[in-house]
Amino acid sequence: MNGKTRRRLELAGIILTGLLATVMVGFLVLDWLREYPVAGALYEQFRLAGWLMDDALGTNVFYHPFMWRSMATGVLVGIVAPLVGTYLVHREMALIGETLAHTAFAGVAIGLLFSSTTGWGGSLLLAALVVAVLGALGVQWLAERTDTYGDVPIAIMLTGSFAVGTLIISYGRGLTGMNIESFLFGNLSVVTPAGARIMAVLSVILVAVVIATYKQLLFITFDEQAARVARLNVTWYNTLLIVMTAVVVVGAMQILGVILVAAMLVIPVAAATQIAHSFRETLYLSILFGQLSIVGGFALSIGQSLPAGGSIVVVAIAIYLLAILASGRSAAAISTH
């Protein structure tokens, strides 16, 4: 395949992914506004489309609104996780996703305990997001103010936040019988209407921020010292990247769970680096592979009655292995263009 044809296929894939994401965000908007006549009529068309899909596939899932919310969240995760993960992988910061997932777990535990003991009806996703962002800022603060190796603050935050989460869960179960297994392993029923809408808003903001700061993030990814010499505010952009990672992790945790959430930040990017020839191409391919992982994982989950999180990760690994076979090389040297 020549380079021009390849670029056209990649562009077509990105356009299709964008259209799919737009449709899914549109559903979430209609789901939110369905009490109004026009929005309600369009919302019912989505329900009808789901019924037709169930009839054609012999399933009984697409008619239900929770499934559309879950698919919408998954599609958005399939875009923003590889988008941010591309920078993390090239900066050798893949472990940060796992760390912030454990921090978000502590946030969910705090939110569950608070709601169980006070009757607070707020979103657990917001509680997880606040704690994850604070954890991200904490990692950044530790990394800049300690003389240890770069991954030591990450390891400390990973183990420390998970320890706090387990202590809160143990304490809370004795008081309220709180249950957090769905957040550990992922569950489609965890995706609430509010959680899906929050993910949609954050995804739009995150994509806009990456587009606006693409050159700066690229600069610090490949040559941080030169970026400092050029008087770029490296600390600010590092903080921005790690906060964006926290946002992605919290959103993806609804589908994948704490244990598997880091996979979508890393595996599609690892697959893309095997066959891409530039950073921009890696970015495009990682988004396409992330989307294929989501769609394929949902198909496997529905068809075989398997957990969605595990199915998505297995499909992502399969794509990674296929990319290795297709590349015929153990590593890819890419340009920064």
Side-chain angles (χ1 to χ4, degrees):
M1 183 186 301
N2 61 53
K4 184 176 292 187
T5 301
R6 177 171 170 153
R7 285 191 294 273
R8 286 176 178 173
L9 288 174
E10 291 170 358
L11 181 60
I14 292 296
I15 291 173
L16 288 175
T17 299
L19 291 174
L20 178 61
T22 301
V23 170
M24 291 301 179
V25 171
F27 167 77
L28 296 177
V29 172
L30 295 176
D31 185 38
W32 181 35
L33 302 175
R34 66 180 183 271
E35 299 300 326
Y36 296 93
V38 175
L42 293 173
Y43 175 79
E44 289 304 320
Q45 293 303 309
F46 270 98
R47 299 287 302 275
L48 177 60
W51 181 82
L52 293 174
M53 290 173 65
D54 281 333
D55 185 59
L57 299 173
T59 58
N60 185 30
V61 293
F62 295 105
Y63 179 75
H64 303 288
F66 86 90
M67 192 64 193
W68 283 96
R69 296 185 198 110
S70 299
M71 289 191 298
T73 303
V75 166
L76 295 173
V77 169
I79 294 173
V80 296
L83 183 64
V84 174
T86 302
Y87 293 100
L88 297 178
V89 169
H90 283 88
R91 300 195 67 185
E92 299 182 354
M93 293 174 60
L95 189 61
I96 193 66
E98 192 71 29
T99 299
L100 295 179
H102 286 73
T103 305
F105 166 76
V108 171
I110 292 170
L112 279 172
L113 180 62
F114 187 74
S115 63
S116 298
T117 54
T118 65
W120 175 67
S123 172
L124 293 177
L125 194 65
L126 282 176
L129 181 61
V130 170
V131 174
V133 169
L134 291 175
L137 296 175
V139 169
Q140 183 71 11
W141 185 85
L142 287 173
E144 292 181 352
R145 287 165 175 78
T146 61
D147 296 326
T148 55
Y149 293 103
D151 59 349
V152 171
I154 294 176
I156 292 172
M157 183 63 70
L158 188 154
T159 53
S161 57
F162 198 71
V164 170
T166 54
L167 290 176
I168 293 173
I169 293 301
S170 178
Y171 175 76
R173 278 179 174 160
L175 295 176
T176 64
M178 57 195 290
N179 191 323
I180 203 168
E181 277 74 13
S182 294
F183 290 94
L184 279 174
F185 303 106
N187 192 324
L188 297 183
S189 63
V190 172
V191 184
T192 63
R197 289 195 293 269
I198 291 172
M199 184 62 195
V201 172
L202 293 176
S203 296
V204 171
I205 294 173
L206 192 148
V207 170
V209 169
V210 171
I211 291 173
T213 60
Y214 174 80
K215 292 182 179 179
Q216 293 88 340
L217 292 175
L218 181 65
F219 198 178
I220 66 171
T221 295
F222 284 95
D223 199 336
E224 185 172 311
Q225 292 305 315
R228 292 184 186 277
V229 172
R231 306 182 70 84
L232 194 67
N233 192 340
V234 173
T235 298
W236 159 250
Y237 287 107
N238 282 337
T239 302
L240 177 65
L241 179 60
I242 202 170
V243 169
M244 288 194 298
T245 305
V247 171
V248 171
V249 162
V250 171
M253 185 176 66
Q254 299 177 89
I255 300 290
L256 296 166
V258 169
I259 296 175
L260 298 175
V261 70
M264 284 303 293
L265 287 164
V266 176
I267 300 176
V269 182
T273 56
Q274 291 295 319
I275 57 178
H277 298 99
S278 68
F279 182 82
R280 187 183 296 272
E281 188 177 16
T282 302
L283 203 60
Y284 289 163
L285 287 175
S286 64
I287 292 173
L288 294 179
F289 291 157
Q291 207 57 236
L292 286 174
S293 301
I294 293 292
V295 174
F298 270 106
L300 179 62
S301 172
I302 294 169
Q304 302 298 322
S305 299
L306 295 172
S311 300
I312 290 168
V313 173
V314 167
V315 172
I317 292 173
I319 293 172
Y320 172 60
L321 295 176
L322 289 174
I324 292 176
L325 293 175
S327 69
R329 53 199 169 112
S330 58
I334 67 170
S335 75
T336 58
H337 299 295

